[in-house]
Amino acid sequence: MLELKEIYKTFNAGTVNEKRAIDGLNLTLEDGDFVTVIGGNGAGKSTILNLIAGVFPVDGGSITLNGIDMTHLPEHKRARYLGRVFQDPMMGTAATMGIEENLALAYRRGQRRGLGYGISNAERDLYREKLATLGLGLENRMTSKVGLLSGGQRQALTLLMATLKKPELLLLDEHTAALDPKTADKVLQLTDEIVARDHLTTLMVTHNMKNAIQYGNRLIMMDAGRVVVDIRGEEKKKLTVHDLLERFHIENDRLLLSE
Amino acid sequence: MNFINLLNALPGACAQGLIWGIMAIGVYITYKVLDIADLTVDGSITTGGATCVMLMLAGFPAWAAMLGALGAGLLAGLVTGLLHTAMGIPALLSGILTQLSLYSINLRIMQKSNQSISVDKYDLLVSLRYIPQAILITAILAVAVIAVLYWFFGTSLGCSIRATGANPNMSRAQGINVDMTKIIGLMISNGLVALSGALLSQYNGFADVKMGIGSIVIGLAAVIIGEVIFSKIFHNFALKLLSVVLGAIIYYIVLQFVFWFGLNPDYLKLLTAVVVAIFLAVPYWKGKYFTKPAVSAAKKEDKANA
């Protein structure tokens, strides 16, 4: 269970560029919740993910994951509990290292990294098996440098890395926004499969309202650093884009909607 | 212009190249693996030389003096690492600050600006008086260093250092303490540089407070020459380290040729800088003027339309 209590975050405090990004946000995720997050630019979607991951500290409030207070843990220590996929396909993998080396780095998330093997043969079999589930043929290119892969392949690999060691919380920050529609669908389907299979608690930011409705069991909308809409259960299942627009008087805002 | 003179100078160039090759491996670890330009090395190579000479003058055997030099280099790297990570100073500036402070420390270690050590009175590991022996010993040392580093960068810890240089964001997301890995990388790098300084001072028979000036550029020259010449055929990490050592040897052999043609040795540092500048520019020019035809054609079209 993830509990965000009274979270505040202001960027460039005390300057003309002061921006209150998160304004007293409260949010609780139950185990196994797959929550999609929508909202306009500057609503605070990515900021809240980065605050959970510890990229920068909160100004106020607390972040608790499964009873562990993470509010003041440094980013690399929180990584033990978190799986993360970023918007930029370049960001989640090391381009100059091989596919299997990247997976081996992810496999050791949360462990002490000492002088043991960086990658063992037993692991290679596991990685080959896991890569095969992506259906991209990467299992035959284990030693290829990740820099040679396409954006979609890199995102699929990052997703695999994020979930290789079961995370207590999976953070997806518009992870399909930089991909072409067909590849984006493929990566989203993979995401859905992995989340369902491993029963992962997930927070997925998206710009695409259709995806937000199609995936997950709960949808939240953010505005000005707060959660303004929270739809779950049966209501979420029946939701359509039209409903969402009607119900919350959202004009067909170009900033908000990708279609 | 006596050709025999040139031939006679080549073994010495090889020995010097091997010694600087170990130093260049240290530069490779920061510049290529960690993606940090670390200027500490101009100071830490002297620290290594000074520590080694003073320990030997105090009666320690060569191997112990070299271990002492290695330790001093590790400490220098630790200081730069802490300035960079714990105090948030940009890496380039951290290195410069450590390098500057090492100048004072090196003077204090040697108590004067120059300390000589005679191969007649002390049991030096390498000396320009016995060049074949120097080549053999430094070659064995270089191979040993490459072997140990090849093993180390294959371990979990070594992989996390490589990942830090490749993508720090991803590294943090995978739970790597990038501050720690940067410090460890800087320590190993400067440890090797100091070890090379220890060999260099023995080879020359003295340590001098100014012996390190411009050594970062020589290290970079070796790294870049090795990469330009061997990157097409050497892909394995151990072979890449080997190409750095070969780059250093080539650098010294080329220097011998240039001086043999009658260039004034005063131009040594200028020449080194020019060589590095040219080799750094080649990949840039290649990317700019010799990219795939499709891209160039598109650019031309853009220009025509503009």
Side-chain angles (χ1 to χ4, degrees), chain B:
Chain B
M1 293 253 282
N2 186 341
F3 192 67
I4 302 296
N5 283 349
L6 176 68
L7 283 185
N8 284 339
L10 288 185
C14 270
Q16 277 191 302
L18 281 163
I19 294 172
W20 282 93
I22 293 173
M23 184 272 180
I25 289 176
V27 172
Y28 182 90
I29 291 171
T30 44
Y31 184 66
K32 282 286 170 184
V33 177
L34 270 183
D35 199 19
I36 288 176
D38 175 32
L39 299 190
T40 315
V41 294
D42 277 22
S44 56
I45 191 168
T46 312
T47 307
T51 308
C52 178
V53 167
M54 293 314 284
L55 282 176
M56 288 193 79
L57 289 176
F60 285 91
W63 63 268
M66 285 169 62
L67 277 183
L70 178 72
L74 292 172
L75 278 177
L78 176 66
V79 171
T80 303
L82 288 175
L83 285 172
H84 178 46
T85 59
M87 296 170 70
I89 300 167
L92 201 65
L93 197 50
S94 302
I96 292 173
L97 290 173
T98 312
Q99 182 203 112
L100 183 69
S101 35
L102 281 176
Y103 191 89
S104 298
I105 290 170
N106 294 337
L107 273 175
R108 289 306 302 152
I109 292 174
M110 294 196 287
Q111 286 149 23
K112 53 181 184 174
S113 63
N114 188 300
Q115 282 281 5
S116 55
I117 186 161
S118 163
V119 67
D120 299 325
K121 292 188 203 145
Y122 294 89
D123 197 7
L124 301 182
L125 197 61
V126 291
S127 167
L128 50 75
R129 199 89 68 77
Y130 309 105
I131 285 177
Q133 190 198 348
I135 291 178
L136 181 69
I137 288 172
T138 48
I140 291 170
L141 263 175
V143 169
V145 164
I146 290 173
V148 170
L149 289 178
Y150 180 65
W151 163 78
F152 177 74
F153 282 103
T155 64
S156 293
L157 180 63
C159 282
S160 64
I161 294 174
R162 282 160 55 211
T164 302
N167 186 343
N169 284 315
M170 169 265 198
S171 301
R172 276 189 291 268
Q174 298 302 343
I176 294 169
N177 183 349
V178 298
D179 287 353
M180 189 58 79
T181 49
K182 278 181 189 169
I183 290 174
I184 294 172
L186 283 164
M187 286 178 72
I188 295 172
S189 166
N190 282 289
L192 287 173
V193 170
L195 188 68
S196 158
L199 286 168
L200 193 64
S201 61
Q202 291 181 63
Y203 182 81
N204 290 330
F206 66 87
D208 188 283
V209 75
K210 293 202 172 86
M211 69 191 268
I213 292 177
S215 55
I216 178 69
V217 186
I218 298 176
L220 282 177
V223 169
I224 295 161
I225 293 171
E227 186 174 67
V228 168
I229 296 178
F230 299 106
S231 68
K232 284 264 167 14
I233 43 174
F234 286 180
H235 296 293
N236 177 287
F237 187 72
L239 291 178
K240 281 185 179 168
L241 294 181
L242 180 65
S243 72
V244 171
V245 177
L246 295 177
I249 296 172
I250 291 168
Y251 169 80
Y252 271 95
I253 289 177
V254 169
L255 278 192
Q256 288 302 332
F257 266 100
V258 171
F259 292 138
W260 178 66
F261 278 119
L263 188 86
N264 187 334
D266 285 350
Y267 289 115
L268 175 64
K269 307 259 183 207
L270 174 65
L271 190 70
T272 308
V274 169
V275 166
V276 170
I278 290 174
F279 275 95
L280 279 177
V282 165
Y284 173 74
W285 286 336
K286 258 191 189 166
K288 200 170 174 186
Y289 303 111
F290 301 100
T291 39
K292 292 171 201 149
V295 179
S296 302
K299 268 187 189 161
K300 267 181 202 158
E301 212 167 273
D302 282 350
K303 270 186 193 157
N305 291 339

Side-chain angles (χ1 to χ4, degrees), chain A residues 210-252:
Chain A
K210 247 167 79 181
N211 290 336
I213 289 168
Q214 186 184 352
Y215 294 99
N217 64 333
R218 185 174 163 195
L219 179 151
I220 63 173
M221 183 188 289
M222 289 185 65
D223 185 45
R226 295 174 198 219
V227 175
V228 290
V229 174
D230 190 342
I231 304 170
R232 57 184 108 186
E234 283 303 308
E235 195 187 358
K236 162 81 166 61
K237 279 184 193 154
K238 284 186 257 162
L239 197 67
T240 64
V241 174
H242 185 72
D243 288 344
L244 212 52
L245 291 172
E246 282 277 288
R247 195 168 145 194
F248 302 104
H249 313 293
I250 303 167
E251 295 301 312
N252 200 345

Side-chain angles (χ1 to χ4, degrees), chain A residues 94-99 101 141 143-149, chain B residues 235 240:
Chain A
T96 53
M97 297 175 80
I99 293 176
E101 286 179 314
R141 303 171 60 186
T143 54
S144 295
K145 298 273 183 279
V146 169
L148 299 171
L149 305 185
Chain B
H235 296 293
K240 281 185 179 168

Side-chain angles (χ1 to χ4, degrees), chain A residues 127-144:
Chain A
Y127 301 158
R128 194 167 289 118
E129 201 180 293
K130 292 273 186 185
L131 284 167
T133 64
L134 298 180
L136 297 169
L138 296 182
E139 64 274 16
N140 302 319
R141 303 171 60 186
M142 299 257 293
T143 54
S144 295

Side-chain angles (χ1 to χ4, degrees), chain A residues 44-246:
Chain A
K45 310 183 296 294
S46 289
T47 306
I48 199 69
L49 255 57
N50 284 332
L51 287 171
I52 295 170
V55 177
F56 29 69
V58 296
D59 293 342
S62 71
I63 302 168
T64 316
L65 182 64
N66 295 338
I68 301 159
D69 182 0
M70 301 206 302
T71 317
H72 301 293
L73 281 184
E75 188 178 357
H76 69 269
K77 286 199 174 149
R78 296 187 203 194
R80 170 194 289 258
Y81 313 107
L82 304 174
R84 289 162 69 192
V85 185
F86 312 93
Q87 179 175 358
D88 180 358
M90 303 299 142
M91 220 165 130
T93 45
T96 53
M97 297 175 80
I99 293 176
E100 59 178 24
E101 286 179 314
N102 273 274
L103 286 165
L105 286 165
Y107 194 59
R108 285 160 181 71
R109 184 158 47 79
Q111 289 176 8
R112 220 180 69 83
R113 290 165 205 262
L115 297 179
Y117 283 120
I119 180 166
S120 70
N121 281 328
E123 283 173 47
R124 286 195 176 92
D125 293 337
L126 172 74
Y127 301 158
R128 194 167 289 118
E129 201 180 293
K130 292 273 186 185
L131 284 167
T133 64
L134 298 180
L136 297 169
L138 296 182
E139 64 274 16
N140 302 319
R141 303 171 60 186
M142 299 257 293
T143 54
S144 295
K145 298 273 183 279
V146 169
L148 299 171
L149 305 185
S150 69
Q153 288 172 326
R154 283 182 81 158
Q155 283 307 67
L157 180 63
T158 311
L159 186 64
L160 184 59
M161 286 166 64
T163 53
L164 193 57
K165 292 270 287 214
K166 188 182 171 186
E168 293 182 27
L169 177 66
L170 179 62
L171 299 174
L172 308 170
D173 189 0
E174 296 193 47
H175 67 307
T176 59
L179 308 177
D180 66 79
K182 205 175 149 199
T183 315
D185 278 345
K186 169 94 185 150
V187 171
L188 273 171
Q189 270 166 28
L190 267 173
T191 308
D192 203 36
E193 280 167 30
I194 291 172
V195 168
R197 187 191 66 206
D198 294 342
H199 195 67
L200 298 175
T201 311
T202 304
L203 209 47
M204 178 172 99
V205 170
T206 176
H207 255 111
N208 186 313
M209 213 173 247
K210 247 167 79 181
N211 290 336
I213 289 168
Q214 186 184 352
Y215 294 99
N217 64 333
R218 185 174 163 195
L219 179 151
I220 63 173
M221 183 188 289
M222 289 185 65
D223 185 45
R226 295 174 198 219
V227 175
V228 290
V229 174
D230 190 342
I231 304 170
R232 57 184 108 186
E234 283 303 308
E235 195 187 358
K236 162 81 166 61
K237 279 184 193 154
K238 284 186 257 162
L239 197 67
T240 64
V241 174
H242 185 72
D243 288 344
L244 212 52
L245 291 172
E246 282 277 288

